[in-house]
Amino acid sequence: MTSALCARLWRFVHNVVAHPLMEVLPEAWGDALHDWTARRAFIDLGSGASPGGAE
């Protein structure tokens, strides 16, 4: 799988799975899931990216 396709898949997981689960999981678990999927989804964004994910 290409890196662009993999990143797109992780963005889907981040937005469609992690965000809704944050509402029903214990806070620490939801935050950890969110942060883990965000790191996988937005790995191409450098440290200079804004917190909102836009460059």
Side-chain angles (χ1 to χ4, degrees), residues 23-49:
E23 300 300 320
V24 296
L25 291 173
E27 186 176 358
W29 291 9
D31 289 346
L33 176 66
H34 177 271
D35 294 347
W36 179 70
T37 59
R39 283 192 303 272
R40 300 292 305 254
F42 302 105
I43 195 166
D44 57 328
L45 297 178
S47 59

Side-chain angles (χ1 to χ4, degrees), residues 4-17:
L5 184 58
C6 190
R8 188 174 181 126
L9 173 65
W10 277 106
R11 286 183 184 120
F12 176 84
V13 170
H14 175 76
N15 289 311
V16 176
V17 177

